[in-house]
Amino acid sequence: KSIIRACCNYLLVRAGKFYYYYVMSLLDHLEELRKNVKDTGRYRVLAEKSGVGYEWLIKFARGAIVNPSIDKIHKLDIYFKNLTP
């Protein structure tokens, strides 16, 4: 199995010639966003383009924010959705 796309609230996985969608839970989605933030490594640019504060973004990437606000998560989600083709 190989992951083709992880975005929004689903995971698209390819196994041979078949494709499977898996619905992600909210916690899975938060972890996927956290991974995407870490993978960019450019926190200042990401903060500026997404509209989320730089300090908050660093804490979120480290996992220091246990209960992030839906507004900030929504902003990050929109940013990453716009990046995917």
Side-chain angles (χ1 to χ4, degrees), residues 34 37-38 43 53-66:
R34 185 172 283 122
V37 168
K38 283 182 180 180
Y43 299 128
Y54 173 74
E55 292 82 13
W56 184 90
L57 195 60
I58 291 173
K59 290 177 184 176
F60 177 72
R62 286 192 327 232
I65 297 179
V66 180

Side-chain angles (χ1 to χ4, degrees), residues 4 6 26 45 75:
I4 303 299
L26 181 59
V45 173
K75 287 179 181 180

Side-chain angles (χ1 to χ4, degrees), residues 5-52:
R5 185 173 182 203
C7 178
C8 314
N9 61 349
Y10 69 90
L11 189 65
L12 177 60
V13 177
R14 181 177 181 203
K17 61 181 183 175
F18 299 102
Y19 292 87
Y20 301 95
Y21 282 98
Y22 296 99
V23 177
M24 297 170 69
S25 72
L26 181 59
L27 291 176
D28 292 336
H29 185 64
L30 285 176
E31 287 307 312
E32 184 64 31
L33 272 176
R34 185 172 283 122
K35 180 186 174 302
N36 287 341
V37 168
K38 283 182 180 180
D39 288 348
T40 63
R42 300 180 64 193
Y43 299 128
R44 288 200 189 278
V45 173
L46 179 57
E48 183 180 304
K49 290 187 177 184
S50 67
V52 174

